[in-house]
Amino acid sequence: MPRPKAQYSLVVKNHFSGKQLKVEMIDLPYMGEMRRFRLRVNGQWARRVPVASKTMVLRQVRSWLVKH
């Protein structure tokens, strides 16, 4: 089965430590008014938050930036 293509992707890299976070958002069809995406983080399907909106993803990335 082919790997689904991401509609959006976001890569954040810490150039001092070399740590990188890559988030890919795959569009889910038929989700109604609220648009949701299936998430892949660093090449693997997300386990803690498998489905999220763009707002939720950006909040999580922002918290990752604060921690690193």
Side-chain angles (χ1 to χ4, degrees):
M1 187 162 135
R3 187 177 184 139
K5 292 188 178 186
Q7 182 164 354
Y8 298 103
S9 65
L10 177 68
V11 179
V12 181
K13 182 175 183 179
N14 183 337
H15 291 283
F16 292 114
S17 67
K19 290 185 179 183
Q20 180 174 317
L21 178 70
K22 181 177 182 180
V23 179
E24 297 172 302
M25 301 170 70
I26 295 92
D27 193 20
L28 289 175
Y30 314 114
M31 287 305 288
E33 291 180 17
M34 188 155 214
R35 194 138 185 213
R36 298 283 181 162
F37 298 90
R38 181 133 190 241
L39 303 178
R40 245 188 336 237
V41 179
N42 292 334
Q44 306 227 345
W45 293 113
R47 292 186 193 109
R48 288 175 59 196
V49 184
V51 177
S53 66
K54 288 185 269 187
T55 303
M56 291 172 62
V57 170
L58 290 177
R59 283 183 185 160
Q60 290 290 332
V61 169
R62 199 166 132 213
S63 71
W64 185 84
L65 282 171
V66 171
K67 290 179 186 176
H68 294 88

